[in-house]
Amino acid sequence: MNLNDASQKLKCPKALLGCLLLLSFVFSFAVFLAKNPFVRYSFRFQSVDSGRNNIEWRLLPAKKGSEKILSYVEELLLGPKTERCRPIFSPGTKVQFCFERDRVLYVSLSTALLEKTGNASEIMKGIELFKKNIRFAFPYLKEIEIFIDKKSLMKD
């Protein structure tokens, strides 16, 4: 057996092994993406120092329908994780209801929103930022109607 013949025989199994490893990686990655239980969302909060908006990225459990939006809104109301950012609304602001119908989002927030406590953004700036976050995360929504204690505040 010649040295060149031996090297030719070894190249084929190496190439086959490389292709099998690549295919198994691609298959594993596709399964991971298909079964990933989390969705990555961005959240914008006002900076304490500059007043500009800072962006935080968070992973939220993958949900369907209105549960997805409710989960996002509740996480948004929890406020920023970074120290130098303001929460959108006063601490203790809760969602009373949140649902979507015909691409219009209806959100009712508790009256704690009206109490300017802590380090929260100004109320109008907070409402503007609240809507901006929701529009960016769910661009298919046409309007966002906000209620405070089940009374209509403003329609967008």
Side-chain angles (χ1 to χ4, degrees):
M1 183 188 261
N2 183 330
L3 187 57
N4 286 335
D5 292 337
S7 68
Q8 289 295 332
K9 287 182 181 179
L10 290 177
K11 282 185 183 178
C12 184
K14 284 183 182 178
L16 182 63
L17 181 62
C19 286
L20 286 174
L21 284 173
L22 181 64
L23 283 174
S24 67
F25 172 75
V26 169
F27 177 75
S28 298
F29 189 68
V31 168
F32 169 76
L33 290 177
K35 294 192 176 199
N36 189 0
F38 295 100
V39 178
R40 186 175 183 221
Y41 288 106
S42 68
F43 294 85
R44 287 162 177 71
F45 297 101
Q46 187 179 21
S47 170
V48 172
D49 302 322
S50 66
R52 294 181 3 194
N53 294 339
N54 290 342
I55 298 176
E56 290 183 7
W57 295 93
R58 299 184 193 170
L59 292 175
L60 298 180
K63 297 186 178 183
K64 295 187 181 197
S66 61
E67 288 181 20
K68 173 175 52 175
I69 298 173
L70 177 61
S71 173
Y72 181 85
V73 169
E74 288 176 340
E75 188 73 20
L76 184 60
L77 292 178
L78 287 176
K81 291 185 177 182
T82 55
E83 291 181 22
R84 301 304 300 168
C85 288
R86 300 176 189 277
I88 291 181
F89 299 123
S90 299
T93 303
K94 304 280 184 222
V95 179
Q96 293 179 332
F97 65 77
C98 177
F99 65 92
E100 177 216 346
R101 182 176 299 142
D102 297 328
R103 294 177 38 194
V104 177
L105 181 67
Y106 300 93
V107 181
S108 179
L109 303 171
S110 64
T111 55
L113 175 142
L114 299 173
E115 302 166 10
K116 175 75 173 78
T117 59
N119 198 19
S121 298
E122 295 296 321
I123 294 172
M124 292 311 290
K125 178 68 176 172
I127 290 172
E128 176 187 318
L129 202 51
F130 181 77
K131 287 182 175 184
K132 188 175 191 175
N133 274 292
I134 292 173
R135 275 198 198 96
F136 190 78
F138 306 101
Y140 63 89
L141 293 172
K142 287 190 307 187
E143 294 179 35
I144 301 168
E145 190 167 340
I146 298 176
F147 297 83
I148 297 179
D149 199 28
K150 300 177 186 169
K151 294 178 182 92
S152 182
L153 171 66
M154 55 182 25
K155 194 177 192 177
D156 183 40

